[in-house]
Amino acid sequence: MLNLERLRTLDALARHGSVSGAAGGLHVTTSAVSQQMAKLEREVGQQLLARSGRGVRLTDAGRLLADHAARILSQVELAQSDIEAQRGEVVGEVTLSAFPTAARGLLPATLTALRAEHPELKVYTRELEPEQGLQAVLRGDVDVAVALDWSNKRLPVPGGLSKAELLDDAPDIAMPAGHPLVGRSEVELEDFAQDEWVSWPEGEFCYEWLMFTLRSRGIEPRISHLAGEHHTQLALIAAGFGICVAPRLGRGPVPDGVTLVPVRQTMRRHIHAVWRTDADRRPSVRAAVEALRTAGARVAAGACEAVTTARAPRVCGSPTR
């Protein structure tokens, strides 16, 4: 009889493409992965891995068994979901991921609510960029990912995943205090055709969005500095090294010397939660999504209240969609 944990190891190898990747995904050592695979090869009586340069690859038999393993593990997850749903209790473990501004702006309130309402539920969190979060959910490494896309550039959600809208986030443009446009009540992206930009790192979804958006307005981007963290970007702006898009979610204190101005043609980030559809019946997943929704609604309500106080209701819109 095939051992389920060894099939899980084979599945991780197929998904990650390397022993080290599988070890990281399973949170075990590379030695443990190798040992499990050696035992699995003895169980089936065939070679499942072959050397390929400095790494390994699946043999034909390995790929065949890995396909079966993926289906078997999916059925096991469905069975676990049904058992949890039958019991109706929010217990066990759930893992959440979020990109950095959502990790700051949503996760603390979400974790606090889950701890208060479901004390028997153990919650783990990881900070992952949107595309990484979706892939982690597909692999089964994460139960619920907080991801984003933009009003003019959507992030495709793969089949087999479900999605719930959490809130809309309307970013501003951050500029140094000495910038010529300081004092404006609002700006347009075309106003910055000659400015240098501070952006997210190349390859990230938001970097691609910025390139796409500026070029669609007839602006050839002049990217001078790349930084993954918004606080780092704002520090560069404060020192006079360009301008950047500054989301409001999870923003925190703005450094001295930085001015924030809304964009007239409003840009919006759509923030949503994503989970595997076959885990939809798990009470722990449903509880996590509901806690994220509540946290998102509170953030959206607070943002609208702050804007209304500032007498600029145009950016409130319908944040909870």
Side-chain angles (χ1 to χ4, degrees), residues 165-320:
E165 301 293 336
L166 301 179
L167 76 154
D168 283 357
D169 185 33
D172 302 312
I173 298 296
M175 64 190 77
H179 195 281
L181 297 182
V182 168
R184 290 267 195 99
S185 60
E186 57 185 12
V187 293
E188 295 182 2
L189 289 179
E190 288 81 356
D191 296 332
F192 303 99
Q194 302 305 315
D195 281 87
E196 295 184 346
W197 288 81
V198 177
S199 173
W200 299 271
E202 292 184 39
E204 288 190 8
F205 179 72
C206 287
Y207 174 90
E208 300 300 333
W209 165 81
L210 182 61
M211 301 298 101
F212 169 80
T213 301
L214 292 177
R215 286 170 178 159
S216 70
R217 305 287 180 87
I219 304 169
E220 183 56 34
R222 300 172 60 195
I223 309 297
S224 297
H225 305 283
L226 302 175
E229 265 290 335
H230 287 288
H231 291 315
T232 304
Q233 294 181 10
L234 292 177
L236 290 167
I237 304 306
F241 294 105
I243 62 173
C244 75
V245 175
R248 296 174 185 175
L249 177 64
R251 179 184 286 167
V254 177
D256 292 337
V258 174
T259 296
L260 300 168
V261 182
V263 180
R264 181 176 298 122
Q265 297 172 335
T266 306
M267 305 178 294
R268 289 195 182 277
R269 300 195 309 171
H270 304 303
I271 317 299
H272 46 264
V274 179
W275 65 96
R276 288 174 65 102
T277 302
D278 57 15
D280 202 36
R281 287 168 287 185
R282 289 177 55 193
S284 57
V285 169
R286 293 202 303 269
V289 172
E290 185 57 34
L292 284 166
R293 277 177 161 157
T294 300
R298 289 175 178 169
V299 169
C304 279
E305 182 180 353
V307 170
T308 302
T309 302
R311 297 183 180 179
R314 65 194 183 289
V315 301
C316 283
S318 302
T320 57

Side-chain angles (χ1 to χ4, degrees), residues 134-135 138 156-162 274:
L134 293 185
Q135 291 304 311
L138 282 172
V157 175
L161 300 184
S162 296
V274 179

